Coordinates of all heavy atoms in Angstrom, one line a residue:
E1 N -20.5 -61.2 -31.8 CA -21.7 -61.9 -31.9 C -22.9 -60.9 -32.4 O -22.8 -59.8 -32.0 CB -22.1 -62.6 -30.7 CG -21.1 -63.6 -30.2 CD -21.2 -64.9 -31.1 OE1 -22.3 -65.1 -31.7 OE2 -20.3 -65.7 -31.1
P2 N -23.9 -61.4 -33.1 CA -25.0 -60.5 -33.5 C -25.7 -60.0 -32.2 O -25.7 -60.7 -31.2 CB -25.9 -61.5 -34.3 CG -24.9 -62.6 -34.8 CD -23.9 -62.7 -33.8
W3 N -26.3 -58.9 -32.4 CA -26.9 -58.2 -31.3 C -28.2 -57.4 -31.8 O -28.2 -56.7 -32.8 CB -26.1 -57.1 -30.6 CG -26.7 -56.5 -29.4 CD1 -27.2 -55.3 -29.3 CD2 -26.9 -57.0 -28.1 NE1 -27.7 -54.9 -28.2 CE2 -27.6 -56.0 -27.4 CE3 -26.7 -58.3 -27.5 CZ2 -28.0 -56.2 -26.1 CZ3 -27.0 -58.4 -26.2 CH2 -27.7 -57.5 -25.6
V4 N -29.4 -57.7 -31.0 CA -30.6 -56.9 -31.3 C -30.7 -55.8 -30.4 O -30.8 -55.9 -29.2 CB -31.8 -57.9 -31.1 CG1 -33.1 -57.1 -31.3 CG2 -31.7 -59.2 -32.1
V5 N -30.8 -54.6 -31.0 CA -31.1 -53.4 -30.3 C -32.6 -53.2 -30.1 O -33.3 -53.0 -31.2 CB -30.5 -52.1 -31.0 CG1 -30.8 -50.8 -30.1 CG2 -29.0 -52.3 -31.2
P6 N -33.2 -53.3 -29.0 CA -34.6 -53.3 -28.9 C -35.3 -52.0 -29.1 O -36.4 -51.9 -29.7 CB -34.9 -53.6 -27.4 CG -33.6 -54.3 -26.9 CD -32.5 -53.6 -27.6
E7 N -34.6 -50.8 -28.9 CA -35.2 -49.5 -29.1 C -34.2 -48.6 -29.8 O -33.0 -48.5 -29.4 CB -35.7 -48.8 -27.9 CG -37.0 -49.3 -27.3 CD -37.5 -48.4 -26.1 OE1 -36.7 -47.5 -25.7 OE2 -38.6 -48.8 -25.6
V8 N -34.8 -47.8 -30.7 CA -34.0 -46.7 -31.4 C -34.7 -45.4 -30.9 O -35.9 -45.2 -31.1 CB -33.9 -46.8 -32.9 CG1 -33.2 -45.6 -33.4 CG2 -33.2 -48.1 -33.2
W9 N -33.9 -44.3 -30.5 CA -34.3 -43.0 -30.2 C -33.8 -42.1 -31.3 O -32.5 -42.0 -31.4 CB -33.9 -42.6 -28.9 CG -34.6 -43.3 -27.7 CD1 -34.9 -44.7 -27.7 CD2 -34.9 -42.7 -26.4 NE1 -35.4 -44.9 -26.4 CE2 -35.4 -43.7 -25.7 CE3 -34.7 -41.5 -25.8 CZ2 -35.9 -43.5 -24.3 CZ3 -35.2 -41.2 -24.6 CH2 -35.8 -42.2 -23.8
L10 N -34.7 -41.5 -32.0 CA -34.4 -40.5 -33.1 C -34.5 -39.1 -32.6 O -35.6 -38.6 -32.2 CB -35.3 -40.7 -34.3 CG -35.2 -42.1 -34.9 CD1 -36.2 -42.2 -36.0 CD2 -33.8 -42.5 -35.5
S11 N -33.3 -38.3 -32.8 CA -33.3 -37.0 -32.4 C -33.4 -36.1 -33.6 O -33.0 -36.3 -34.7 CB -32.0 -36.6 -31.6 OG -31.9 -35.2 -31.4
G12 N -34.2 -34.9 -33.4 CA -34.2 -33.9 -34.5 C -35.2 -34.2 -35.6 O -35.3 -33.5 -36.6
G13 N -36.1 -35.2 -35.4 CA -37.0 -35.5 -36.5 C -38.4 -34.7 -36.3 O -38.6 -34.1 -35.3
P14 N -39.3 -34.9 -37.3 CA -40.5 -34.1 -37.3 C -41.7 -34.6 -36.4 O -42.6 -33.9 -36.2 CB -40.9 -34.1 -38.8 CG -40.4 -35.5 -39.3 CD -39.1 -35.6 -38.5
I15 N -41.5 -35.9 -36.0 CA -42.7 -36.4 -35.3 C -42.3 -37.1 -33.9 O -42.2 -38.3 -33.8 CB -43.5 -37.4 -36.1 CG1 -42.5 -38.4 -36.8 CG2 -44.3 -36.8 -37.1 CD1 -43.2 -39.5 -37.6
P16 N -41.8 -36.3 -32.9 CA -41.5 -36.9 -31.6 C -42.7 -37.5 -30.8 O -43.8 -37.1 -31.0 CB -41.1 -35.7 -30.8 CG -41.7 -34.4 -31.4 CD -41.8 -34.8 -32.9
N17 N -42.3 -38.6 -30.2 CA -43.3 -39.2 -29.3 C -42.9 -39.5 -28.0 O -43.7 -40.2 -27.1 CB -43.8 -40.5 -30.0 CG -42.7 -41.5 -30.3 OD1 -41.6 -41.4 -29.7 ND2 -43.0 -42.5 -31.1
R18 N -41.7 -39.0 -27.6 CA -41.2 -39.2 -26.2 C -40.5 -37.9 -25.9 O -39.6 -37.4 -26.6 CB -40.2 -40.3 -26.1 CG -39.6 -40.5 -24.8 CD -40.5 -41.3 -23.9 NE -41.0 -42.5 -24.4 CZ -40.3 -43.7 -24.4 NH1 -39.1 -43.8 -23.6 NH2 -40.8 -44.9 -24.8
F19 N -40.8 -37.4 -24.7 CA -40.2 -36.1 -24.2 C -39.5 -36.4 -22.9 O -40.2 -36.8 -21.9 CB -41.3 -35.0 -24.0 CG -41.9 -34.6 -25.4 CD1 -43.0 -35.4 -25.9 CD2 -41.4 -33.6 -26.2 CE1 -43.6 -35.0 -27.1 CE2 -42.0 -33.2 -27.4 CZ -43.1 -33.9 -27.8
V20 N -38.2 -36.1 -22.8 CA -37.5 -36.4 -21.6 C -37.3 -35.1 -20.8 O -36.7 -34.1 -21.3 CB -36.1 -37.0 -21.9 CG1 -35.3 -37.2 -20.6 CG2 -36.3 -38.3 -22.7
D21 N -37.8 -35.0 -19.5 CA -37.7 -33.9 -18.8 C -36.2 -33.7 -18.3 O -35.6 -34.6 -17.6 CB -38.5 -33.9 -17.5 CG -38.5 -32.7 -16.7 OD1 -37.6 -32.0 -16.7 OD2 -39.6 -32.5 -16.0
V22 N -35.5 -32.7 -18.8 CA -34.1 -32.4 -18.6 C -33.8 -31.2 -17.7 O -32.7 -30.6 -17.8 CB -33.3 -32.4 -19.9 CG1 -33.4 -33.8 -20.7 CG2 -33.8 -31.2 -20.8
T23 N -34.8 -30.8 -17.0 CA -34.7 -29.5 -16.3 C -33.6 -29.6 -15.3 O -32.7 -28.6 -15.2 CB -36.0 -29.2 -15.5 OG1 -37.1 -29.3 -16.5 CG2 -35.9 -27.8 -14.9
E24 N -33.4 -30.7 -14.6 CA -32.4 -30.8 -13.6 C -31.0 -31.0 -14.2 O -29.9 -30.7 -13.6 CB -32.6 -31.9 -12.5 CG -33.6 -31.5 -11.4 CD -35.0 -31.3 -12.0 OE1 -35.4 -32.1 -12.9 OE2 -35.6 -30.5 -11.3
N25 N -30.9 -31.4 -15.5 CA -29.7 -31.6 -16.1 C -29.3 -30.6 -17.2 O -28.5 -30.7 -18.1 CB -29.7 -33.1 -16.8 CG -29.8 -34.1 -15.9 OD1 -29.0 -34.2 -14.9 ND2 -30.7 -35.1 -16.0
F26 N -30.1 -29.4 -17.2 CA -29.9 -28.4 -18.2 C -28.4 -27.7 -18.0 O -27.9 -27.4 -19.0 CB -30.9 -27.2 -18.1 CG -30.9 -26.2 -19.1 CD1 -31.2 -26.5 -20.5 CD2 -30.3 -24.9 -18.8 CE1 -31.0 -25.5 -21.4 CE2 -30.3 -24.0 -19.6 CZ -30.6 -24.2 -21.0
D27 N -28.1 -27.5 -16.8 CA -26.8 -26.9 -16.5 C -25.7 -27.7 -17.1 O -24.7 -27.2 -17.7 CB -26.6 -26.6 -15.1 CG -27.4 -25.5 -14.6 OD1 -27.9 -24.8 -15.4 OD2 -27.5 -25.3 -13.3
A28 N -25.8 -29.1 -16.9 CA -24.8 -30.0 -17.5 C -24.8 -30.0 -19.1 O -23.8 -30.0 -19.7 CB -25.1 -31.4 -17.0
K29 N -26.0 -30.0 -19.7 CA -26.1 -29.8 -21.1 C -25.4 -28.4 -21.6 O -24.7 -28.5 -22.6 CB -27.6 -29.7 -21.5 CG -27.8 -29.5 -23.0 CD -29.3 -29.5 -23.2 CE -29.6 -29.2 -24.8 NZ -29.5 -30.5 -25.5

């Protein structure tokens, strides 16, 4: 069935507008 994705998150682009604090997950990264 068709599906609408409400949000797209783009990584690596020139104009970020959202920053996710990953300090606690840095070791997992």
Side-chain angles (χ1 to χ4, degrees):
E1 295 287 338
W3 180 257
V4 175
V5 180
E7 277 189 1
V8 175
W9 290 35
L10 301 174
S11 174
I15 46 174
N17 59 12
R18 180 78 56 87
F19 298 84
V20 178
D21 189 329
V22 298
T23 311
E24 277 70 36
N25 293 312
F26 181 74
D27 288 346
K29 179 182 179 75

